Structure formats: structure tokens, C-alpha cells
Amino acid sequence: MDHDGGRRVWPRPPILPRPILMDQRWERLVFLHWRVSSRLVAPLLPKGCSPDEFDGSSWVGLIGFHMVGAGFGYRRPIPYFGTFPEINVRLYSVDADGRRGVVFRSLEASRLAVVLGTNLAGVPYRWGSMAIEDDRSAISYRSTRLAPPHRGVTTDFGVVRGSRDMSDDALARFLTARWGLHTSLAGRLLYVPNVHRRWQLVDAEVTHCRDQLVGAAGLPNVSNRPPDSVLYAPGVSTQFGWPHAVRATDQL
């Protein structure tokens, strides 16, 4: 049996149904991941999906990157508001039809307008004072949340970029080749498809990690220990399709 329980992880995206909802670019991505028990993850997922596992474990990710040129439709970036640092905490999900996705527990952003707009759609963006420091060898992300919930929680983490290609590593594929997200709106499970080119992943070494976001997202004490996976990617352009409801008969 495969590490992921027999469900193949495809490193290349499926075809994205038209029309395109959003277009954006993610740059200078740092992926920190920890093993966690599926028993702890399951209550944090929307009703209708379950924890996706690799090597008998579920995983939680702390991901920092630079959002660039986000906009609605295709190649229609919104000036100023479409570019900002982002740090998210995410879990890994699968629904009854085998659609693998991510579930965002929180997404820190420095643009208040983005936070207010996305919250109306049920996306848990949080307003933060944020910074990226990058000397082309080491890169770090910092944030302090400026509003409830959990106002004042902080994160500060960084890595030194490596050179070993991790693009074909089985765990790296499991954590990054996710072609959609699961979310809940008005009690219904939704799946939002997402595509981008295949990741160019390399190894990285943690320089520091002082994090409170993973704990605030419902998994206390996890990010107090060293990550079980550390990756870096220079970036990808990505598009999102329109969300669609998971049929009630699919809900777990």
C-alpha cells in the first residue's frame, strides 16, 4: 500500500473548469510541516471531509509567502491590494469522492480590505502587521495579529534555502500537490478547484521558529517542536475555479 493509503497524489494539475474565478502568483514560499494525529485534526475540518494521511499521520502546515498580483478573472491584478505577505495554517482533507484538498484554519494578511472582503465569503483571513526579510540565502516571515480572534498572537520563522531537488519526494508531493480546497459556507461543504505548474521544491534548514499561530488554530504545542518537513519553492502562478457544493450523499 502507498504511504497515502492507496490514493495516488498527482504532481500535475487537472484541467480547471472555466470560467476562472481568481488569478494570483505565490512567491518565495516556505513550507514548515508537523506530523499530527488524525484524531486531533478531524474536529477541525468541515463536516463532510476527513483527514488526509501520509505514512499513518495527518499533517499541519505553516506556510509563508509573498502574494503578488491577485485579482478576479484571468490576469487582472488588483493594484496595491493584490500584493501582500501571507502566512497560513492549513490542514489536509479528503472527501468521499476522493478529492484531496487543503483546509485553511487561518490566513494572516497585511491588507485590511482583503481580510474584510474574504471574511464575508467565509475565508478566515486575519489582519496582521507583517514583514518578510530575504537576503537571497536566508528568508524569514513575521506577523503579529492586529484584531480578534486571538489578537496579539505572533509568528516568526525562517529558513536557509537548500539546493537538493525535492520535487519528486513522496511526502513533498503529498503536502504541495493539492488541487483544491475544502471549506464550509452556510453548513454546506464546498470544494474550490485550483491549478498551477508543478512545484520546483528544494530542501531548506530552519533557522528559527517561534510560532503561536498553529496553537491558535486549534493544535497547541505542535509548533513548539522542530518541523518534520521543511521545504522552499521560488514560486508559481495559480488560478482558482468557481466553488461547487459537495453533494449531500458524498458527505461523510
Side-chain angles (χ1 to χ4, degrees):
M1 181 176 290
D2 296 339
H3 288 288
D4 61 352
R7 293 183 297 267
R8 179 95 179 262
V9 179
W10 294 97
R12 300 186 185 278
I15 296 173
L16 184 69
R18 297 300 194 261
I20 292 172
L21 173 62
M22 290 186 297
D23 179 271
Q24 50 195 233
R25 182 165 176 81
W26 306 330
E27 296 185 349
R28 297 182 290 171
L29 296 99
V30 173
F31 299 90
L32 305 184
H33 282 92
W34 292 264
R35 289 180 180 270
V36 287
S37 167
S38 294
R39 176 180 55 83
L40 299 177
V41 167
L44 304 177
L45 300 180
K47 183 179 179 181
C49 57
S50 59
D52 201 1
E53 294 185 344
F54 182 92
D55 202 20
S57 296
S58 191
W59 297 75
V60 57
L62 178 67
I63 292 94
F65 65 97
H66 193 196
M67 175 82 78
V68 177
F72 293 101
Y74 184 61
R75 293 187 177 177
R76 298 175 183 172
I78 300 173
Y80 179 75
F81 293 105
T83 299
F84 51 87
E86 179 176 314
I87 299 170
N88 63 60
V89 176
R90 72 189 202 184
L91 304 172
Y92 298 93
S93 52
V94 61
D95 62 33
D97 274 352
R99 288 176 293 240
R100 316 179 86 135
V102 303
V103 172
F104 290 108
R105 291 294 294 167
S106 65
L107 308 96
E108 313 298 300
S110 58
R111 300 283 188 252
L112 179 58
V114 171
V115 172
L116 296 175
T118 54
N119 282 187
L120 292 175
V123 182
Y125 267 96
R126 309 301 182 212
W127 186 32
S129 173
M130 306 180 69
I132 305 172
E133 294 184 0
D134 186 358
D135 66 5
R136 301 195 178 187
S137 174
I139 180 169
S140 63
Y141 286 86
R142 296 197 311 272
S143 180
T144 300
R145 193 173 294 178
L146 298 175
H150 303 290
R151 179 176 180 175
V153 296
T154 64
T155 192
D156 181 357
F157 59 93
V159 303
V160 173
R161 298 167 172 90
S163 59
R164 181 161 56 98
D165 184 6
M166 300 293 288
S167 302
D168 291 322
D169 177 80
L171 175 58
R173 287 201 309 266
F174 173 87
L175 297 171
T176 63
R178 318 296 296 194
W179 308 118
L181 66 91
H182 289 108
T183 188
S184 181
L185 187 64
R188 291 299 307 274
L189 178 64
L190 301 179
Y191 182 78
V192 184
N194 166 240
V195 300
H196 51 73
R197 290 185 182 274
R198 186 176 181 180
W199 289 106
Q200 295 179 338
L201 298 163
V202 297
D203 66 321
E205 182 179 351
V206 174
T207 56
H208 62 284
C209 182
R210 296 178 288 275
D211 172 70
Q212 297 175 332
L213 293 182
V214 172
L219 292 166
N221 302 317
V222 170
S223 58
N224 294 344
R225 55 183 169 86
D228 297 295
S229 170
V230 184
L231 299 167
Y232 176 81
V236 292
S237 294
T238 180
Q239 292 82 43
F240 287 86
W242 287 84
H244 59 266
V246 177
R247 291 176 293 125
T249 53
D250 291 343
Q251 302 218 4
L252 302 179

